[in-house]
Amino acid sequence: MTRLLFILLALALASCSTVEGVGKDISAGARTVRNAL
């Protein structure tokens, strides 16, 4: 049971950082487009 909770916690933390990274990529792309115009 403890092992399952640890795995779920690790997956939750990994997905949070992934979503944050995607958000940063989208923001950087939007800034690039804005600067090009």
Side-chain angles (χ1 to χ4, degrees):
M1 186 66 174
T2 303
R3 186 178 289 177
L4 177 62
L5 290 174
F6 180 73
I7 291 171
L8 290 175
L9 178 62
L11 288 174
L13 290 174
S15 67
C16 288
S17 65
T18 301
V19 171
E20 182 180 348
V22 170
K24 288 180 181 179
D25 290 340
I26 292 171
S27 295
R31 278 192 299 270
T32 302
V33 170
R34 186 181 61 215
N35 291 337
L37 299 175

